[in-house]
């Protein structure tokens, strides 16, 4: 397995070194892994004097702004240029790039797909997909090493954030010796574990705790499936962006004696984002795939186009049907 990966890395590097205008894209509802990976790769390529554009379909959540400079990441709807190379980062399938993101990706002369989701259908002209990696940030770190770029704090901080967030603060089963070694290296290059942990898990507005209190009060356990929900009206009432509800899934999976947790987050009237987590090795990516989503065995997501109560009913029904 090593040889093809090494060959792919070499091919990607030689392509990036020849490219003139490069577009880097992350997935919708961007998280720490995709933003951290995007910023680190973008900055690394800029050091090689490449014309790089970093873009996101959705705006960057407040808790991740500390790893970006103002104006560094554009919104996809602000882009009018054409690119010879586009790189999709941490996006398990092409739809994850968003409507405009997908179009920009498709229009580029050459497309590179860098990801760590096992369900990735290898939609690029070159695909560097390593499901054994805890975070796409780990893959980007390898690429940056191979590009021969010196790592300083401006690269170490976003990369550490990528690994830190996708491992739930080094707690999830995807945390390996290699993950921790990479994190330690990044600390050596200037990433501060305390500062990053503070920015990600602390520093929250009061409305955030009121939202948690409401969603915690709704925790329901049905056939060992724990679920809760939050509506967009409620999020607005607490003065929160949609992204602020992302962490609910981390709490829902803390309940004892459950097999799976489901968090329903209403994004629009008839659009519900579901975050699925499994506690005992059950493959939630398969369940998410039934609704057009995907992800990892223990953490997956999907979007259901229906009112909140209908989405909850449909997903619970499908979750109960699966053989644990
Ligand atoms: P989350 O619930 O935190 O949004 O996502 C959990 C995992 O599933 C992440 O690895 C994320 O990239 C993936 N994921 C979330 N939503 C989707 C989706 O709609 N499609 C696919 N393919 N993956 C998703
Ligand atoms: Mn990721």
């Amino acid at each position: 397995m090593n040889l093809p990966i090494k060959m792919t890395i070499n091919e990607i590097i030689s392509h990036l070194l020849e490219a003139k205008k490069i577009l880097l894209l992350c997935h919708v509802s961007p998280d720490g892994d995709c933003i951290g990976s995007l910023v680190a790769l973008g900055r690394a390529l800029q050091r090689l004097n490449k014309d790089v554009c970093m873009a996101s379909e959705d705006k960057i959540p407040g808790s991740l702004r500390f790893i970006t400079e103002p104006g560094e990441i554009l919104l996809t709807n602000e882009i009018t240029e054409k690119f010879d190379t586009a790189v999709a980062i941490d996006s398990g399938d092409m739809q994850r790039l968003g409507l405009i993101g997908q179009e920009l990706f498709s229009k580029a002369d050459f497309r590179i797909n860098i990801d760590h989701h096992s369900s990735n259908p290898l939609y690029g002209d070159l695909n560097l997909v390593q499901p054994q990696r805890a975070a796409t940030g780990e893959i980007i770190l390898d690429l940056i090493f191979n590009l021969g770029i010196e790592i300083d704090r401006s690269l170490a901080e976003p990369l550490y954030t990528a690994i830190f967030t996708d491992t739930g603060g080094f707690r999830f089963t995807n945390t390996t010796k290699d993950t921790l070694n990479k994190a330690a290296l990044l600390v050596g290059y200037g990433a501060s574990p305390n500062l990053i942990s503070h920015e990600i898990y602390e520093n929250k507005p009061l409305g955030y705790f009121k939202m948690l209190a409401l969603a915690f009060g709704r925790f329901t356990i049905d056939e060992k499936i724990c679920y809760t929900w939050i509506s967009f009206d409620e999020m607005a009432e607490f003065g929160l962006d949609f992204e602020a509800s992302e962490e609910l899934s981390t709490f829902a999976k803390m309940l004892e004696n459950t097999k799976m947790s489901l968090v329903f987050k209403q994004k629009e009237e008839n659009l519900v984002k579901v975050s699925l987590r499994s506690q005992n090795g059950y493959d939630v990516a398969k369940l998410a795939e039934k609704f057009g989503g995907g992800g990892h065995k223990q953490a997956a997501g999907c979007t259901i186009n229906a009112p909140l109560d209908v989405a909850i009913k449909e997903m619970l029904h499908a979750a109960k049907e699966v053989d644990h």
Side-chain angles (χ1 to χ4, degrees):
M1 278 305 279
N2 272 341
L3 198 63
I5 288 291
K6 185 78 190 124
M7 276 167 61
T8 310
I9 289 179
N10 288 341
E11 275 191 59
I12 289 178
I13 285 176
S14 54
H15 192 91
L16 289 174
L17 291 177
E18 274 169 31
K20 301 238 159 10
K21 274 177 82 70
I22 306 170
L23 173 67
L24 305 183
L25 293 163
C26 62
H27 60 70
V28 291
S29 300
D31 60 13
D33 188 22
C34 72
I35 296 297
S37 298
L38 179 95
V39 167
L41 183 60
R43 289 176 184 171
L45 292 170
Q46 278 165 349
R47 292 220 198 135
L48 299 172
N49 295 318
K50 292 291 165 192
D51 184 350
V52 181
C53 174
M54 303 178 226
S56 169
E57 189 94 348
D58 296 331
K59 70 179 175 49
I60 312 305
S63 63
L64 291 171
R65 290 203 192 114
F66 77 102
I67 50 168
T68 70
E69 296 294 334
E72 192 175 20
I73 303 180
L74 298 182
L75 287 174
T76 48
N77 67 14
E78 295 170 320
I79 296 174
T80 49
E81 306 144 85
K82 198 172 176 307
F83 298 85
D84 56 76
T85 301
V87 187
I89 296 171
D90 194 42
S91 301
D93 57 40
M94 246 210 338
Q95 289 67 40
R96 293 279 289 156
L97 295 172
L99 281 177
I100 307 171
Q102 264 177 85
E103 204 186 315
L104 289 167
F105 186 76
S106 305
K107 276 200 305 204
D109 301 329
F110 195 80
R111 295 160 289 264
I112 301 173
N113 165 19
I114 304 177
D115 185 33
H116 68 132
H117 294 96
S118 54
S119 53
N120 191 302
L122 309 182
Y123 53 85
D125 298 310
L126 272 175
N127 301 282
L128 181 55
V129 178
Q130 295 185 275
Q132 73 277 24
R133 300 292 197 194
T136 300
E138 285 195 47
I139 309 172
I140 300 293
L141 178 59
D142 285 344
L143 264 182
I144 291 176
F145 273 139
N146 279 279
L147 278 165
I149 289 167
E150 208 175 301
I151 297 179
D152 61 7
R153 188 170 166 213
S154 76
L155 300 182
E157 203 168 56
L159 286 175
Y160 182 96
T161 303
I163 297 172
F164 182 73
T165 51
D166 254 26
T167 55
F170 308 113
R171 290 177 303 131
F172 300 162
T173 52
N174 57 359
T175 310
T176 64
K177 183 180 160 196
D178 192 41
T179 312
L180 293 169
N181 278 333
K182 284 197 163 103
L185 271 180
L186 293 168
V187 173
Y189 291 127
S192 160
N194 175 254
L195 180 141
I196 293 170
S197 160
H198 172 72
E199 294 287 350
I200 299 293
Y201 292 130
E202 299 170 359
N203 214 13
K204 307 284 188 198
L206 182 62
Y208 175 76
F209 296 94
K210 303 210 178 225
M211 179 275 291
L212 289 185
L214 181 64
F216 286 176
R218 288 172 176 162
F219 273 161
T220 307
I221 300 179
D222 187 356
E223 294 185 25
K224 295 207 171 183
I225 300 165
C226 166
Y227 68 94
T228 188
W229 66 93
I230 196 92
S231 73
F232 70 75
D233 280 346
E234 290 158 349
M235 291 297 283
E237 203 178 300
F238 297 131
L240 299 171
D241 288 339
F242 173 79
E243 285 70 27
S245 62
E246 295 290 301
E247 252 169 57
L248 267 175
S249 50
T250 308
F251 293 105
K253 75 188 271 289
M254 289 180 184
L255 263 88
E256 63 176 359
N257 206 19
T258 54
K259 289 176 170 172
M260 188 194 305
S261 59
L262 305 171
V263 177
F264 298 87
K265 296 164 286 187
Q266 188 190 35
K267 203 167 181 179
E268 293 165 25
E269 185 65 44
N270 287 318
L271 205 151
V272 181
K273 168 85 208 285
V274 193
S275 282
L276 304 87
R277 302 290 184 267
S278 91
Q279 275 79 278
N280 67 343
Y282 169 72
D283 190 347
V284 281
K286 287 219 174 88
L287 180 57
E289 277 168 33
K290 288 189 183 170
F291 291 85
H296 309 284
K297 213 175 155 191
Q298 306 228 340
C302 63
T303 301
I304 302 179
N305 293 299
L308 191 52
D309 55 340
V310 177
I312 295 175
K313 217 171 126 201
E314 283 180 2
M315 175 56 86
L316 266 182
H317 181 73
K320 285 179 190 173
E321 265 191 351
V322 298
D323 180 23
H324 299 298

